[in-house]
Amino acid sequence: MRDKIYKALHNADGTLNRLTLAGLVSALLLLVQQISSLLGMDLTGQMAAVQDCINTALTILTIVGVVSVPKEEDNDDKK
């Protein structure tokens, strides 16, 4: 199971997959928002600010080379 999670979060070259990571973070933020709603708290505005901070951190990690955007392979169907 640990191997499957590693493969889902990493590209073939070993860098983190930015799209998968961003989707996972968004889903976790949604979960936190839903749980807080069940407890009677409204975190809508705060969640947007947190998501903006996380997106900025992912952008910085992409620039540094820790996270990369997956490259599409050449495919004859796309031509």
Side-chain angles (χ1 to χ4, degrees):
M1 180 170 201
R2 195 177 299 173
D3 190 42
K4 286 184 180 183
I5 294 172
Y6 181 84
K7 286 182 181 180
L9 292 176
H10 291 82
N11 295 322
D13 61 358
T15 57
L16 290 169
N17 185 328
R18 182 173 190 229
L19 298 176
T20 303
L21 194 59
L24 181 62
V25 168
S26 295
L28 288 173
L29 288 175
L30 180 60
L31 178 65
V32 168
Q33 185 177 9
Q34 290 172 340
I35 290 172
S36 67
S37 177
L38 284 173
L39 299 175
M41 297 181 286
D42 183 23
L43 299 177
T44 306
Q46 290 87 354
M47 284 298 179
V50 169
Q51 191 162 10
D52 289 342
C53 290
I54 291 171
N55 285 336
T56 302
L58 286 173
T59 301
I60 292 169
L61 290 173
T62 301
I63 292 169
V64 175
V66 175
V67 177
S68 68
V69 179
K71 296 177 181 144
E72 293 185 32
E73 296 179 12
D74 291 337
N75 192 350
D76 291 335
D77 295 337
K78 293 183 180 180
K79 291 180 181 179

